[in-house]
Amino acid sequence: MEVFKDLAEYGLDLAQSNGRCCEYAEVRLETNQIDTVSFINGKLHLGNLPIDLTSDAFARKVGINIRLLVNGGMGMATSNQLTKQSIQDAIHRAFKTAKRSSSQRKHPIKMSEEKVYETSWQSNYRINPMEVSLEDRITYIQDFVNIFKEKLSVEYVHIFVLMTEQRDTYFINSDGSKISSHVPRVNFMPIIIALKSGGQNEQLMSNYATTGGWEKLISWNLKEKVIKKVKVLGDIITKATKPPEGSIDIILGPDVAGIISHENCGHPHEADRILGREGAQAGESYLKGHKIGFKIGNECVNVFEDPTIPDSYGFYLYDDEGVKARKRELIKNGIFNEMLHNRETAAIFNTNSNASARAVSYDREPIIRMANTYFAPGDYSFEELVEDVKSGVLMMSFTEWNIDDKRLQSKYVGQEAYLIQNGEVTNTLLLKPTLEISSPGLFSSIDAQSKKIEWQGAFCGKSEPGQGCPVWTGGPFIRLRKVTLG
Amino acid sequence: MEERETEKLFEIISIIKTKIKQFCTDWSIKGIIKKENQIRFSESQIDINKNWDEIKLELFLSQKRRTIEITLNDLRPFTIEKTLNNCKKLLNVAKLNINYKRLPEGPFAYNNAIKNKIYDKSVEQLGEKAIDLVEKATETSIKEGAKRVAGSFFYGGTLFHIENSIGLKGSYKRTRLNFRIRAFAEDMYSTGEALSCSTHLNHGFDAVGAGEEAGRICKQAKRGKKGDPGVYNIIIYPKVTTELQAPTPAIAMNLYVQKMGLAWLVGKRKGDQIANDIVSVWDDGTKEYGLRSAPFDDELVPSKKSLLIDNGTINQFFTNNSLSKKNEESTGNAGITMPKPTNTVFSTGEYTLEELMEISEKPTILITSTWYTRYQSYAPPAVLSSLPKDGMFLVKNKGKLLEPIRELRINSDHYHMLKNTTALGKDLKQVSTWLSTSENTVFAPFMLIEDIKMSTGTK
């Protein structure tokens, strides 16, 4: 990386010389490494997996990304050939395309004024997952594979994916910022399908992910958790019964709360969606046309976003536009409080960026992304939430889910779900209780949360070409009153 | 492609070959030089103009059937050295890959005529004309009834070169045009989307036509009301097949996925009925102007047109050399360890869209676009839901009136949808949609699918 910093500086100087007049220029040099070790039904696999589980199982990438703002038009050029010639060509292409774009725009793109930083940062870890030997990774996964060597009540398909990666960047811009970063990540993904003859089946996909090093993954002692989930899957397809119908109270577990915080709150708060920039891709937002201060839900509802949470999968301290990261309070006391901004959208809204610009590799533009999205904890214990429910459902986890492209109409199908009766969680497992509800309907049904947050890793999909961005989603238990299950 | 880049590619391939021959029994190197562009636009303005210039290599390495695949785009000499040393260590520890037997021997005869049908020099030289196309499509869409538009236009070319330890080698170039436009009315809920894709500017590519179609759908979608949940017949646009129908031939009929148990055709075999008998589907790597067409696959086996579903019954799964049975040939779909689809091509019927609306007897919904398809499980029957977006219409009076509706969700499974496909349109359209479930390129007609449950939010 050090060797190529001179090339980055060369590129930035070139972008602003020889008669080129840019309002803004940035150069991002980046290396990405990925290693993925998988076991498929007990057999080791060192390669890609289908159905979008991995597409680059082992990869080594390096490249440069140049963005130029010329006369209010934006151009981007990338190259992995790190020579002065290729950088000259990239600058020329970015400049030419930015200038041509500007002639087509009615309103010029502007960037907000932000502080300048010269710094370097990294995630906090002791053992870099990329440096763990293949033997140790195989041993780690084998421990989970061995679960299925025992006699089990039903048949299972089991796939375990262990993905380690490392991203190193060097970012400089025409404002004077110079920022280096180093972030290794690890993600352990069990994909398990319980099968019963006669066709019933139940599928689990989980992500246990962190930037806190290999030691953090080990400290989670996941085997017991996975054993329990395997048993629950088997119980669901053999014992689960029809869920209650009509208007009931429902308590959602942290897994479900987390995905809701991401889908029903995080995404519609992205300023580029609100402004229409993702209109042909991930869609827009039901918050378009509403101003900050608009009432979204009950006063107890708080949903926050924070890249700086230690060990989190979405961790960063400066975003990919050089802005210092901080916590963002998206919904505060039930009110639309803050959007997620990059420098372009911040300029439109006459505010400052809150450091939401992320790119997943050198060949992708930085766009507004979440990092770690969560429902804030409340004042209740789990027991207190339950004891005030006469008849209801506890939805611990979810299986199928989706949401419309305005982030308004959502669906969550429960996986591990139990009947609550007279203030107690029973042992009655329920088969696929389905919550199909609008975002305002959901946020205005929440009346209480428990005190402790739990987290789940995920990859968030957005943009074109697609960028699967590492994030955490999280929350406590949350209680909804009088909702109808489908 | 510039000469210096191809020279650099071959230089790097030569260095890698020298190293991997020392520790691999089988190997394959796929070199890729990509020069591509994208214009992204929204609010009827260009947001950003992007340009990619990349040389990368995809390596398959085997040491007595212990295998690894790695993508290398960091081409610095010390990285190549370090990576290959690391691969050598990994192979020493790796276990036997039972899904890999050997690379095919050849020699093969190739249909080189396909090379002219997938490469169009004028696409690589499009330059500023690309912006003109975006502007024209935008104007047309607005003239048709849109207030504003958003979209994306990819264009460019890629060189592929493969050589392997058997001694086989080959190269080809392929160009790509992928244009998508979404039209919005005054409110953001009335929208229409259309796309156009091809390898050639003058064959099957019509950006302005896509703009017209998106604007027309958007205008028709105005003043839509919330739809009533229930069971309906649905008529789907070709691009909806990438979410609802194409995953079966493109994913579940991948023999590797079948063997993993991660697909909804587990337990099914040749001769089993999985679709209505009017439905046939091919995987066709030879399709002219197809975005996934090529003269050969990653094992340098000549591309083929393989019949996967024959009048509703399974004819074959698509494979590579290792997964093919002893007395059967590869279908030309390598991926050396995992096959991959090329172009998924559906059969056609005899109906226009208007005629499909006329013949559909139950309450019918016309669906122009869907997204966010999610499964409860990949195991049979692959229960899923998918969200229509853009214009969705209740078909009234045999299609003479289209009433715009909103906020309905498709709930079904792949078995049901294929078996209940009772009529097909007469024309194929090439479609490749954003983050689609099937991920590859599909040639599909309009389709009538019966008895689909549509649901809506309860609060």
Side-chain angles (χ1 to χ4, degrees), chain A residues 242-258:
Chain A
K242 201 163 170 283
E245 290 176 356
S247 178
I248 55 154
D249 297 339
I250 185 166
I251 295 175
L252 304 174
D255 279 6
V256 192

Side-chain angles (χ1 to χ4, degrees), chain A residues 58 60 80 93 104-107 201 203 263 279-280 285 400-402 405 411 432 436 445 463, chain B residues 4 45-46 51-52 55 71 73 180 182 188 372 374 376-378 380 385 409 411 434 458-459:
Chain A
F58 286 85
R60 299 290 182 268
N80 69 321
R93 290 195 308 270
Q104 195 267 352
R105 284 190 70 87
K106 299 189 262 307
H107 308 288
N201 56 76
Q203 176 174 299
E263 301 285 13
S285 168
E400 172 205 335
W401 88 102
N402 52 36
D405 69 308
K411 176 182 181 182
K432 302 190 197 304
E436 214 170 326
S445 301
S463 194
Chain B
R4 67 180 163 90
Q45 302 180 97
I46 292 178
N51 176 278
W52 290 274
I55 302 177
T71 301
N73 127 317
R180 200 175 72 259
R182 197 170 185 213
M188 66 168 162
Y372 222 135
R374 285 292 182 276
Q376 286 183 13
S377 169
Y378 296 129
S385 63
R409 182 181 266 103
N411 301 276
W434 178 73
T458 54
K459 195 172 184 181

Side-chain angles (χ1 to χ4, degrees), chain A residues 382-390 422-424 479:
Chain A
F382 172 68
E383 292 73 22
E384 285 167 341
L385 289 181
V386 174
E387 71 192 19
D388 205 32
V389 172
K390 191 167 159 52
N422 300 320
E424 285 189 5
R479 186 173 66 201

Side-chain angles (χ1 to χ4, degrees), chain A residues 219-293:
Chain A
S219 75
W220 284 340
N221 293 318
L222 293 174
K223 188 173 175 184
E224 288 312 307
K225 206 172 226 182
V226 171
I227 287 174
K228 182 172 179 262
K229 288 196 180 211
V230 167
K231 183 178 182 307
V232 165
L233 285 183
D235 286 345
I236 290 169
I237 63 172
T238 53
K239 296 174 187 168
T241 58
K242 201 163 170 283
E245 290 176 356
S247 178
I248 55 154
D249 297 339
I250 185 166
I251 295 175
L252 304 174
D255 279 6
V256 192
I259 190 76
I260 287 172
S261 72
H262 182 94
E263 301 285 13
N264 295 73
C265 176
H267 272 307
H269 279 70
E270 291 164 346
D272 57 350
R273 294 180 70 107
I274 290 171
L275 290 167
R277 199 186 189 269
E278 276 285 311
Q281 288 81 26
E284 299 195 328
S285 168
Y286 73 90
L287 292 173
K288 189 179 182 107
H290 293 294
K291 293 190 174 158
I292 297 287

Side-chain angles (χ1 to χ4, degrees), chain A residues 294-301 331 333-335 440 442-445:
Chain A
F294 168 67
K295 184 168 157 60
I296 292 177
N298 289 340
E299 202 179 321
C300 63
V301 176
I331 299 179
N333 301 327
I335 303 291
L442 193 155
F443 291 125
S444 59
S445 301

Side-chain angles (χ1 to χ4, degrees), chain A residues 108 145 148 158 161 217 226 228 240 243 245 247 265 272 294 297 302 304 362 400 425 445 447 470 475:
Chain A
V145 173
F148 299 93
H158 48 98
V161 181
L217 182 73
V226 171
K228 182 172 179 262
E245 290 176 356
S247 178
C265 176
D272 57 350
F294 168 67
N302 295 282
F304 302 148
Y362 82 90
E400 172 205 335
V425 179
S445 301
D447 79 332

